[in-house]
Amino acid sequence: MDRSEHSMYTLFEQLGLAGSDQEIVDFVAQYGPLPREVALADAPFWNRAQAQFLREEIAKDGDWAELVDELDALLRK
């Protein structure tokens, strides 16, 4: 089990994305707002591996689930 502390920065790294504060802000500005009817993992901007990771973490309520939910909320604003 991964016991490291997770942050939005490390979530972005896990997804293979740049994760500085500004890069996260830019990502949210570029891809948000995500329509309510589109599940986060089904958004067209993820590659297959990213979408699978997001689905798995939410489905198993994994270590990253809280941050995935936070990212989802950021993209809905």
Side-chain angles (χ1 to χ4, degrees), residues 15 39-43 46-62 68:
L15 291 166
L40 178 63
D42 294 335
W46 303 121
N47 66 35
R48 185 176 302 170
Q50 291 167 327
Q52 181 179 350
F53 170 78
L54 293 168
R55 277 187 197 93
E56 287 174 358
E57 288 303 308
I58 292 299
K60 70 179 184 180
D61 198 21
V68 171

Side-chain angles (χ1 to χ4, degrees), residues 2-67:
D2 183 5
R3 295 260 185 225
S4 60
E5 188 168 324
H6 299 312
S7 66
M8 191 60 65
Y9 170 77
T10 59
L11 174 61
F12 270 66
E13 282 186 332
Q14 185 72 21
L15 291 166
L17 302 170
S20 72
D21 289 343
Q22 188 59 54
E23 289 163 322
I24 292 169
V25 167
D26 292 346
F27 181 90
V28 170
Q30 180 177 355
Y31 295 113
L34 186 62
R36 289 273 171 218
E37 64 273 8
V38 177
L40 178 63
D42 294 335
F45 46 83
W46 303 121
N47 66 35
R48 185 176 302 170
Q50 291 167 327
Q52 181 179 350
F53 170 78
L54 293 168
R55 277 187 197 93
E56 287 174 358
E57 288 303 308
I58 292 299
K60 70 179 184 180
D61 198 21
D63 291 341
W64 295 97
E66 187 173 324
L67 281 164

